[in-house]
Amino acid sequence: MRRVVVTGLGAITPVGNDINETWKNMCDGVCGIGTITKFDTSELAVHVAGEVKDFDALKYIEKREARKIDMYCQYALAAAAQAVEDSKVLGTVDETRLGVYVGAGIGGLYTFVENTQNFYNGGPRKVSPHFIPKMIGNIAAGRIAIEYKAKGPSLAPVSACATGANAVGEAFRAIKDGYADVIITGGAEAVIHPLTISGFANCKALSTTEDPSRASIPFDVDRNGFVMGEGAGMLVLEEYEHAKARGAKIYAEFVGYGNTCDAYHVTAPDPEAEGLANAIKIAFAEGNVTENDNVYINAHGTSTHMNDITETMAIKKALGEQAYKASISSTKSMTGHMLGATGAVEAIVAVLAVKEGKIPPTIGTKNVDPECDLDYTISDKAVAKDITVSASTNLGFGGHDTCLVFKAYNE
């Protein structure tokens, strides 16, 4: 059976513009959520978000090209460049065995709004010829493939907030089943915009808390919605023998992937949590996780009322008594919810947690909801723990449920 390992990581997040900065700040409990600076929020009900800060696209993209690329795709290209450089894989893999699986939950929203306004204000001639290839949600995968001459399998999944996790999981499947040897995979998003803030706020999904330190407070009894974030996370996944043969640095082994659907409601999770529980069971079974493993779970942990309760229920249904021994945290307390990027970034967190033996904290949470009765690592700093298995869980509008499982690397 083909084994899959992680050999490269890259990230653009509200707490850092590379992996080292992102991981250090997460371990230090740095909050990347603040007052929105991208636009005037005076007429909006929501005033905070997890914005990427001081991002310089020109470190990764030529100025002439950058104008043709939406911000979500710029984040994706930057994170992919970091991950590919980290992996040192270029030149060691056949182009037809190198793939790209990268998704976005929404895609080029800024481009869409700008060209819509241009059309209605000035007519068809005011629509940019770059509008479509700049906006569409698959173009990050396409541009990354072009950049690295990746002619193997390519996919741009869209499953709302589970997009990044599904991209990573499907890439794992493709390598495990023999369709590729290396895949650049992850998710990206850049939709902190008055239109999306208004849409999510009007469906009562966003936190209206003014204090950034208490806006994203997963599992807290006072939580009142998620905080929108942005950025990108990318991983290089590689078939184990291929990685071993070239002497690659291996972060962790990717051992399990669960992908299910609630088939219950457009936006609300199934209150019985059966879909996510099944995704966790599938991934843990595929990964041969036992009751003797020390488990860490990076929870979806959105800080919405129903998500945190149903996710807690799902973990208990899937793991039984082992759920009470597992360490859990939600890094959305620091980044906010990065939508299509969040599953990929949180997969990276799970990889680094099992490699480094550190559990990043859930910051800001003070009064844990009695219905959320697991170990959520409520702290202002990372906690050291001997972890043998780490997992990441994600849910998306439409009922999408995912679970990714990693193990500490052993030859």
Side-chain angles (χ1 to χ4, degrees):
M1 181 174 292
R2 288 165 60 92
R3 296 166 65 187
V4 181
V5 293
V6 181
T7 60
L9 301 173
I12 303 292
T13 76
V15 293
N17 288 332
D18 58 44
I19 278 295
N20 291 335
E21 185 182 19
T22 292
W23 179 242
K24 181 182 185 301
N25 283 337
M26 283 184 174
C27 289
D28 289 344
V30 173
C31 184
I33 296 166
T35 301
I36 293 171
T37 63
K38 292 178 180 289
F39 47 85
D40 180 13
T41 63
S42 59
E43 295 186 5
L44 302 177
V46 172
H47 306 287
V48 301
E51 295 179 329
V52 167
K53 303 156 189 72
D54 303 318
F55 173 70
D56 182 5
L58 300 186
K59 289 176 62 177
Y60 308 96
I61 308 163
E62 291 184 5
K63 187 174 182 179
R64 182 177 58 184
E65 282 298 301
R67 291 194 295 266
K68 305 173 186 176
I69 303 173
D70 188 88
M71 185 59 71
Y72 98 90
C73 190
Q74 292 184 17
Y75 291 160
L77 286 165
Q82 294 173 17
V84 169
E85 172 60 27
D86 186 36
S87 74
K88 309 298 183 188
V89 75
L90 290 187
T92 73
V93 59
D94 186 311
E95 292 177 347
T96 64
R97 302 289 295 172
L98 172 61
V100 178
Y101 280 42
V102 173
I106 296 175
L109 182 92
Y110 271 84
T111 297
F112 180 82
V113 172
E114 177 186 357
N115 281 273
T116 300
Q117 291 172 332
N118 289 347
F119 176 81
Y120 283 112
N121 292 332
R125 288 184 297 175
K126 294 296 182 180
V127 176
S128 169
H130 303 297
F131 169 44
I132 299 300
K134 191 174 176 181
M135 172 198 71
I136 50 181
N138 73 307
I139 208 65
R143 280 191 171 271
I144 291 168
I146 292 166
E147 179 70 21
Y148 301 109
K149 302 294 186 287
K151 298 179 180 179
S154 181
L155 192 66
V158 178
S159 49
C161 308
T163 293
N166 282 136
V168 174
E170 295 301 324
F172 162 72
R173 282 271 183 270
I175 294 173
K176 186 176 180 181
D177 292 345
Y179 296 102
D181 294 324
V182 179
I183 296 183
I184 304 161
T185 181
E189 206 79 88
V191 292
I192 299 175
H193 184 281
L195 181 63
T196 45
I197 293 288
S198 298
F200 279 115
N202 289 349
C203 71
K204 309 300 181 185
L206 294 182
S207 171
T208 55
T209 302
E210 298 286 336
D211 179 1
S213 70
R214 287 283 290 167
S216 182
I217 48 173
F219 310 108
D220 194 301
V221 71
D222 296 320
R223 66 193 183 280
N224 66 358
F226 78 82
V227 173
M228 191 175 292
E230 62 177 353
M234 297 290 161
L235 303 86
V236 173
L237 303 185
E238 191 166 350
E239 192 273 326
Y240 169 66
E241 294 296 340
H242 187 279
K244 186 179 177 182
R246 70 180 185 87
K249 170 182 61 181
I250 295 176
Y251 285 96
E253 184 170 1
F254 195 164
V255 296
Y257 168 47
N259 172 16
T260 62
C261 187
D262 289 347
Y264 170 75
H265 191 271
V266 173
T267 58
D270 176 4
E272 299 302 317
E274 294 293 343
L276 181 58
N278 285 335
I280 296 170
K281 288 178 183 176
I282 291 166
F284 273 57
E286 182 176 25
N288 294 314
V289 180
T290 74
E291 60 183 16
N292 295 321
D293 279 305
N294 295 327
V295 174
Y296 163 65
I297 300 173
N298 187 289
H300 194 54
T302 58
S303 188
T304 59
H305 179 73
M306 284 304 298
N307 175 92
D308 296 358
I309 291 173
T310 55
E311 189 168 15
T312 298
M313 186 186 304
I315 294 169
K316 290 190 288 189
K317 283 188 173 184
L319 303 186
E321 287 302 312
Q322 190 177 20
Y324 293 93
K325 296 184 289 183
S327 297
I328 301 165
S329 71
S330 172
T331 45
K332 286 187 181 69
S333 60
M334 294 176 275
T335 65
H337 190 346
M338 300 162 67
L339 305 183
T342 209
V345 170
E346 289 162 13
I348 290 169
V349 173
V351 166
L352 291 173
V354 76
K355 180 180 184 295
E356 302 291 338
K358 291 182 180 179
I359 300 166
T362 305
I363 68 168
T365 297
K366 296 178 180 178
N367 309 305
V368 177
D369 188 332
E371 293 190 72
C372 300
D373 58 347
L374 299 176
D375 176 7
Y376 303 110
T377 318
I378 309 302
S379 175
D380 58 2
K381 301 283 185 182
V383 175
K385 183 175 180 179
D386 179 22
I387 305 163
T388 59
V389 171
S390 64
S392 177
T393 52
N394 291 106
L395 299 80
F397 278 6
H400 302 284
D401 302 303
T402 58
C403 179
L404 310 176
V405 177
F406 304 90
K407 282 188 175 180
Y409 168 63
N410 293 299
E411 291 190 26

